[in-house]
Amino acid sequence: MGCLGDATTGDAKSADTKLKKFEEIKSEADLLPPGAKVGTVPSDLAQSTGLERLEILGKMEGIDIFDMKTLDASRKGTMQDPIAVRSFGDEQYCGCTGYPVDSHPTIWLTMSRDRPITRCVECGSVYKMDYVGPQDDPHDHHHGDHHGYEEPKNFSDFVRPEYRY
């Protein structure tokens, strides 16, 4: 496993004894690394913290914590059956390469909790954000005002809102 291997071999007994399994992690304190011995270069496992450490520990056990699978490209998304895009945040970006795949350059689309559906302007494929994060974020300091940001209007706002998609 490259540089991950040295933290679990006999070379780093102190790192080996402090290594927690993915399912044993219960708090942020569990994501603090043991560090390296004095005079040695630490491995990624020995020095990583926070989300990076959680990702490494998950990968060591075959768990993809960030759900990095590619989107369904076997079909074109429609309003009745959009392509689902999971998101843990309030906003998600998605790159459309067309249907069939690679039929046009990547066009980046934005979805949000307020506007979860978007359509590619090139091929018409429809994507829908499925929010799977916490319902109430205690770290949200925006309180709904978004610092005075107003989404730009487009032609559908003046004709019929249902034309947006």
Side-chain angles (χ1 to χ4, degrees), residues 11-83:
D11 298 338
K13 281 292 182 193
S14 63
D16 187 33
T17 58
K18 295 180 182 181
L19 183 64
K20 291 192 178 215
K21 292 189 174 193
F22 184 79
E23 58 269 353
E24 295 174 348
I25 297 171
K26 303 295 182 207
S27 69
E28 290 182 25
D30 295 333
L31 295 174
L32 295 175
K37 291 181 183 178
V38 176
T40 63
V41 177
S43 66
D44 288 343
L45 183 61
Q47 70 179 352
S48 63
T49 61
L51 287 176
E52 180 184 11
R53 185 168 185 80
L54 186 65
E55 180 182 21
I56 290 172
L57 292 173
K59 283 183 178 180
M60 289 174 67
E61 295 185 25
I63 301 168
D64 182 13
I65 68 160
F66 290 121
D67 191 23
M68 298 296 287
K69 295 182 301 252
T70 58
L71 296 177
D72 181 9
S74 65
R75 63 185 180 88
K76 182 177 182 177
T78 64
M79 288 300 289
Q80 293 76 26
D81 189 19
I83 295 174

Side-chain angles (χ1 to χ4, degrees), residues 42-152:
S43 66
D44 288 343
L45 183 61
Q47 70 179 352
S48 63
T49 61
L51 287 176
E52 180 184 11
R53 185 168 185 80
L54 186 65
E55 180 182 21
I56 290 172
L57 292 173
K59 283 183 178 180
M60 289 174 67
E61 295 185 25
I63 301 168
D64 182 13
I65 68 160
F66 290 121
D67 191 23
M68 298 296 287
K69 295 182 301 252
T70 58
L71 296 177
D72 181 9
S74 65
R75 63 185 180 88
K76 182 177 182 177
T78 64
M79 288 300 289
Q80 293 76 26
D81 189 19
I83 295 174
V85 180
R86 293 172 40 119
S87 176
F88 289 94
D90 290 338
E91 191 173 77
Q92 184 69 37
Y93 297 99
C94 158
C96 179
T97 59
Y99 179 78
V101 177
D102 293 332
S103 60
H104 64 70
T106 302
I107 296 177
W108 293 99
L109 309 167
T110 306
M111 295 162 278
S112 67
R113 286 178 74 178
D114 296 331
R115 253 181 230 251
I117 297 174
T118 190
R119 182 186 295 260
C120 176
V121 297
E122 184 75 23
C123 67
S125 190
V126 178
Y127 298 87
K128 181 178 181 189
M129 183 179 99
D130 291 334
Y131 179 74
V132 293
Q135 293 306 313
D136 296 319
D137 185 2
H139 301 291
D140 182 20
H141 300 289
H142 301 296
H143 305 292
D145 66 357
H146 301 287
H147 301 286
Y149 173 77
E150 183 178 331
E151 187 171 353

